[in-house]
Amino acid sequence: MAQKFKIVDYTTKYGSIMQFNRNKNTYIHGWYPFVEGYSKQFILSIIDEYKNINSCLPSLCLEPFCGSGTTPLELQKLGIECKSFEVSPFMYNLAKVKLTNSYTVESFNKYYTKIKEYLNNPVENICALVNLNASKRIVEKDGLDKWNFDKDTMNGILDIKYSISKFNNSKYERLFTIALASILLEISNVYRNGKCISYKKKWKEQHITRKEVHEKFLVKLKEVFLPDIKLINTYKKNQKLLSNNNECYLGDVRKNLNKRVDDDSIDLVITSPPYLNSRDYTDTYMIELRLLDYLKNDDDVKNLRKNTIRSHVQVKWNKSNNIGIKTLNNSIENLKKHESDFWNKGLINMIEGYFEDMSILFDILYKKVKKDGLIFFNVANSAYHNIEIKTDEIIAEIAEKSGFTVIEIREARRINPSSQQKENIPFLRESVIVIKKVSTSTKLCI
Ligand SMILES: C[S@@+](CC[C@H](N)C(=O)[O-])C[C@H]1O[C@@H](n2cnc3c(N)ncnc32)[C@H](O)[C@@H]1O
């Protein structure tokens, strides 16, 4: 069958820049070791391309799935305005902290000294002073066979939380909380293992003391955060710095985009939605979300899950609507043949729901993007029960249904499927779909 969309090999250009780890030591991006993001070089390559086409920079950009804030942060460094949306309060706070550029070295040092003094002489029974609002496995206790943090390690964390809460300055409280977030997994007994949290090998032999927690935190502040704050202060002396902080919004983008963004105002969208891989970010970031009080109770967790894109089965979704895309319907028909073997009965509803969400998003985007505006949409294909779901091609069809023109699908990387799928599906394509809102006059010429 003839290919509907042009698929172009971009593995040489994109292969090494689609992953966040390129930025782990980079100015501000390096404040938190994020896994599910792309690198600043990806943003820079798109801006170069935009400049070559339009002979100018975009005036206003949009990032519907802000995550750790890579897109609005890199754009603000280039002086480009960007509106962004994020549903997870942890990611949202992480992005906001990185987008704030009003920190001063003087204030940073004031709070650093304050916390250092406190940590030299912490309260003996700290766990009685600080509320621990997390799962029962969060800390070592009699009767548990596994726990996320040893008791002494947790005391170190609670010391830091307690002293941050005494700052009386929300800006630096947020900043220092992100510094704490950035060391949490390293000092825990677990690691993020794709969809879930797993225990580290030999975790029972590793013990991080209360004092070591304090030291790691202070080193992070001094060696990673402070040098960047010094740089912000130097840059500020020479030029007025743009901040995209006030245009980063918390909540479900499907509900907020219409309210927050004017029609026909966006020149360029750069984004990467959650992939259709049944990974629930609420699960994988539960330690940060609960331990740092971004979510207070189980109802908050449930509400957050309900507001995420339907890419997982951690909550029961309402029945999804069929959006009438042939490629999708063919995959669903094939999948139905394996329905009795499904590890979760909600899989088909999730897959249909995911694409319904994409359809809702593209309908709104069509109103918001200017004529000749561009979208760079980074996704990856998925596989369930040896059936490949060509997410990129289905989203391309959805974009065209909403009125856009798909320029091409760029193959960025080849991802290994899980071992059960490998025999029939040697690799899954990760791609960047390049989409344009073609003006009516141009359309007539095609
Ligand atoms: C792949 S990550 C984006 C990573 C980002 N490009 C970066 O470099 O940090 C997708 C993000 O979409 C967010 N998300 C999921 N559902 C959402 C929704 N309904 N509205 C807004 N954001 C959502 C997730 O919490 C996650 O942070």
Side-chain angles (χ1 to χ4, degrees), residues 20 34 36-39 63-71 85-88 91 98 249 251-254 270-275 281-282 304 307-311 357 378:
F20 184 86
F34 195 62
E36 297 87 354
Y38 39 57
S39 70
E63 162 59 291
F65 303 101
C66 173
S68 68
T70 313
T71 311
F85 295 83
E86 175 52 52
V87 76
S88 158
M91 305 288 179
K98 287 159 71 180
Y249 303 103
D252 181 355
V253 67
R254 294 164 298 181
I270 306 175
T271 197
S272 175
Y275 292 173
Y281 288 85
T282 316
L304 172 57
N307 281 312
T308 57
I309 291 291
R310 285 172 275 178
S311 62
D357 284 343
N378 166 223

Side-chain angles (χ1 to χ4, degrees), residues 45 162 363:
S45 81
Y162 179 73
D363 280 350

